[in-house]
Amino acid sequence: MFFNRLFILLLLVGFNSSAQQNCPILPEPLKTDRSEGSFMLSSSTQLIGDKSAKANITLFEQEIKKRTGILINSVSPSGNKIYLINEASMPKNGAYQINMVANRIQIKAGNQEGILNGLISLLQLATFSGKNKNSIVIPCWTISDAPLFEWRGLMLDEARHFFGITKVKQILDWMLFYKLNRFHWHLTDVQGWRITIDSYPNLSKIGGVGDLTNPFGPAKYYTKQQIAEVVAYAKERNITVIPEIDMPGHATAANKAYPAFNGGGSKEHPNFTFNPGLEETYSYLTKIIAETVDLFPSKMIHLGGDEVSFGAKAWETNPDVKQLMAKHNLDNILMVENYFFKRMADSVKKLNAKVLAWDEAAEANLDPKNTILFWWRHDKPLQLEKALNKSYSVVLCPRLPLYFDFVQDSTHVLGRKWGSKFNPILAVYQFPGKNELYSNTLIKGIQANVWSETIYDEKRLDFMLFPRIAALSSASWTPVEKKNDAVFLATLKLHLNLYQKEKLNYFDPFNPSLTKEN
């Protein structure tokens, strides 16, 4: 009810000042000034940059054509010009500047990451501008901008339900549009194993069978060629792809394929763990990790490490685990879990890759220089403090407000809630707020997690992701002192029109009663 009343108040304020007077870019730039005149973007507009800008120019031309229908001829000598300028004095953190006059646009940045961010802001300006015959009439702006966080992420769970390469590419396109730059790909879990491993082909052929809705459906997984295609597609859009191979829990699909490494589970979570007492388990998983790391140039791999207690009770009666405990003086199951995770992290380090893990791994005494932890348990702030006190880099992804499987309106019933709490769009937008803990220099950024237990098809995925992905972009980019709820909502109205044009099954927070929950 609070957010419903807040919407009404903010809309009255926000729409009294026309959205047309506000810069339509999301995430909101640090500084914008409306200049006189307009720039006519047309097929004769020329993009000018050095050799390092070639890929960005090609991508911008593709995106402009897709969003506006304008086919830019970047070699036309007679048209107005867009200059892409590498400015050595500018920071190399994605910052950029845009200066526009009627016949010329200059985009300046310290590197091509910043140039691309500037081009995406120009793309949004063009997308929301009027068309005049064969030209887009873009109001002139002067913009100075830089991201709040280095890590601006989105996680997609395809283990519970599989969406496929076409949908993943569409999500990457929207990540580009909103300047999100980390795609965390959750590829293994209880319900499915979605990545080909040559050393153990049954992981995908048997472990990939079924999903949460239909346990007996045909095997669905990504071939190595498809993964390479996604990685290359993301790289063009300045998006780093990070795979997740979950361990030592959430291993049911893998254990279905190779039961020799099964560590058991519980009545509620059968066959949930890998066997930490079996030496062969470590060589098995190391081969899997080595093949996975080879596929992803990011040289980062998320090892999960969460909710092991769901199945670790079985270890207490496992003779292999008992022998391990005696050999290494491990007094309890938690120490076994930490021993396992430390060994696997050491294997990753030997592969010259970084270890990523959920916040439970703060207990495992991993190397802080080679580890990034993801704080997800919003109800355990002391776990975040512990991670920071141990000098771990941290990505913030608390369930409230950054789990996008949580519902976004009080009337919704298909997704999750935390008691009576859920994740409406303004809660996402306002994160991380003024919490001093979040300003620690070890905080690398934020990430929204799209778990798919209740997201069973593409329409449902759209419904849970849009428009909250726009709020996520502002949460990860725009400092709290620059945020304005009313202006954001007014700008969001324009973006909803774009979702409608692109036939996305989005949720409309302005008319929740008119939007059918899928």
Side-chain angles (χ1 to χ4, degrees):
M1 290 300 295
F2 169 75
F3 275 97
N4 288 339
R5 292 195 297 269
L6 186 59
F7 266 124
I8 294 170
L9 174 62
L10 292 173
L11 290 177
L12 288 173
V13 174
F15 290 128
N16 282 339
S17 62
S18 169
Q20 297 294 334
Q21 297 174 4
N22 298 322
C23 184
I25 296 171
L26 290 177
E28 303 94 314
L30 286 180
K31 185 177 180 182
T32 60
D33 292 302
R34 179 72 168 86
S35 308
E36 291 185 3
S38 299
F39 182 91
M40 306 288 285
L41 184 73
S42 70
S43 59
S44 61
T45 298
Q46 185 179 7
L47 275 82
I48 299 173
D50 62 22
K51 290 182 179 179
S52 67
K54 183 178 179 180
N56 280 339
I57 289 173
T58 300
L59 180 61
F60 180 75
E61 291 172 347
Q62 292 171 354
E63 291 297 313
I64 279 288
K65 184 177 186 298
K66 181 173 72 175
R67 301 280 181 189
T68 70
I70 297 294
L71 178 61
I72 295 176
N73 178 1
S74 61
V75 296
S76 172
S78 59
N80 52 14
K81 294 174 174 56
I82 302 171
Y83 294 94
L84 309 179
I85 302 169
N86 285 310
E87 190 69 61
S89 61
M90 290 186 65
K92 295 175 173 56
N93 64 346
Y96 67 92
Q97 295 175 356
I98 299 178
N99 296 291
M100 300 176 65
V101 293
N103 64 345
R104 183 182 72 253
I105 297 175
Q106 289 184 334
I107 298 177
K108 296 180 180 180
N111 59 10
Q112 285 302 313
E113 177 187 359
I115 293 292
L116 180 57
N117 288 332
L119 284 170
I120 294 306
S121 287
L122 181 58
L123 172 68
Q124 288 199 23
L125 291 175
T127 300
F128 297 113
S129 295
K131 197 166 186 179
N132 179 14
K133 293 184 179 180
N134 296 319
S135 300
I136 301 294
V137 184
I138 307 175
C140 289
W141 291 87
T142 300
I143 298 172
S144 181
D145 198 11
L148 174 63
F149 287 120
E150 169 194 350
W151 189 291
R152 306 182 298 280
L154 182 72
M155 188 220 77
L156 179 65
D157 167 21
E158 288 203 82
R160 276 117 179 160
H161 288 103
F162 185 85
F163 304 104
I165 192 168
T166 300
K167 192 62 180 179
V168 167
K169 284 184 175 182
Q170 184 189 52
I171 290 172
L172 292 171
D173 284 342
W174 284 104
M175 290 180 67
L176 168 71
F177 194 73
Y178 287 123
K179 303 187 181 84
L180 300 171
N181 65 354
R182 299 289 190 275
F183 180 62
H184 174 177
W185 211 358
H186 187 81
L187 291 167
T188 74
D189 215 298
V190 169
Q191 293 79 13
W193 185 284
R194 309 301 182 192
I195 176 174
T196 299
I197 301 296
D198 292 338
S199 301
Y200 300 98
N202 285 345
L203 284 170
S204 53
K205 291 179 180 178
I206 296 176
V209 170
D211 56 30
L212 189 59
T213 301
N214 178 12
F216 306 106
K220 294 181 179 179
Y221 54 89
Y222 290 101
T223 65
K224 288 191 171 183
Q225 182 179 355
Q226 288 173 322
I227 287 174
E229 186 178 338
V230 168
V231 168
Y233 194 85
K235 183 180 179 182
E236 291 174 353
R237 288 150 180 79
N238 189 44
I239 298 170
T240 302
V241 184
I242 301 102
E244 181 176 353
I245 306 294
D246 216 336
M247 61 182 71
H250 294 273
T252 310
N255 289 334
K256 181 170 62 174
Y258 291 94
F261 307 104
N262 188 349
S266 64
K267 182 178 179 180
E268 296 80 11
H269 304 278
N271 305 315
F272 189 74
T273 67
F274 292 114
N275 186 350
L278 195 65
E279 188 62 27
E280 289 83 358
T281 300
Y282 298 96
S283 57
Y284 164 65
L285 293 175
T286 298
K287 287 180 183 178
I288 291 170
I289 289 171
E291 281 197 40
T292 303
V293 168
D294 281 346
L295 284 171
F296 294 89
S298 63
K299 294 299 178 183
M300 291 187 281
I301 184 168
H302 201 297
L303 297 184
D306 61 315
E307 300 177 332
V308 183
S309 61
F310 288 3
K313 185 76 173 173
W315 294 353
E316 294 179 356
T317 56
N318 185 318
D320 298 324
V321 176
K322 286 182 177 181
Q323 187 175 2
L324 177 78
M325 294 173 73
K327 180 178 180 181
H328 295 283
N329 298 315
L330 305 176
D331 295 334
N332 53 54
I333 295 305
L334 181 59
M335 292 179 71
V336 174
E337 179 183 333
N338 292 337
Y339 169 87
F340 170 95
F341 217 79
K342 181 71 165 57
R343 277 196 65 172
M344 296 316 304
D346 288 345
S347 293
V348 172
K349 188 175 181 179
K350 289 176 183 176
L351 294 167
N352 297 313
K354 272 188 177 293
V355 176
L356 282 60
W358 302 112
D359 63 50
E360 287 94 331
E363 318 290 347
N365 295 319
L366 309 181
D367 178 6
K369 294 180 181 178
N370 201 57
T371 305
I372 303 173
L373 297 185
F374 288 64
W375 179 62
W376 67 279
R377 293 181 291 176
H378 72 279
D379 55 325
K380 296 185 182 295
L382 291 180
Q383 195 71 5
L384 172 59
E385 291 188 38
K386 180 182 291 186
L388 296 173
N389 289 337
K390 289 186 173 184
S391 299
Y392 289 113
S393 295
V394 174
V395 174
L396 304 172
C397 53
R399 282 172 294 205
L400 297 179
L402 294 180
Y403 270 31
F404 283 5
D405 57 319
F406 277 58
V407 301
Q408 49 194 323
D409 187 79
S410 60
T411 63
H412 294 166
V413 296
L414 294 182
R416 297 170 62 195
K417 291 184 181 179
W418 188 266
S420 61
K421 296 179 180 178
F422 53 97
N423 292 335
I425 193 164
L426 281 183
V428 179
Y429 174 71
Q430 292 162 355
F431 188 82
K434 295 183 179 180
N435 190 321
E436 289 186 7
L437 201 59
Y438 300 163
S439 63
N440 190 303
T441 56
L442 289 168
I443 302 293
K444 293 182 70 69
I446 74 172
Q447 174 175 294
N449 295 334
V450 186
W451 299 105
S452 66
E453 286 95 332
T454 62
I455 301 176
Y456 40 80
D457 61 18
E458 291 186 20
K459 287 185 67 177
R460 175 73 178 164
L461 179 57
D462 286 351
F463 188 82
M464 302 303 280
L465 185 55
F466 297 93
R468 287 190 290 193
I469 190 173
L472 172 66
S473 74
S474 292
S476 61
W477 185 282
T478 308
V480 62
E481 61 272 14
K482 294 293 183 180
K483 291 180 181 177
N484 182 303
D485 293 347
V487 172
F488 168 71
L489 292 172
T491 306
L492 184 66
K493 261 291 195 186
L494 300 175
H495 288 244
L496 295 190
N497 293 334
L498 184 58
Y499 305 156
Q500 184 175 15
K501 178 182 177 183
E502 304 232 349
K503 295 182 171 55
L504 293 171
N505 185 52
Y506 65 94
F507 169 65
D508 186 347
F510 304 100
N511 297 291
S513 63
L514 300 179
T515 309
K516 182 179 178 182
E517 184 181 12
N518 290 94

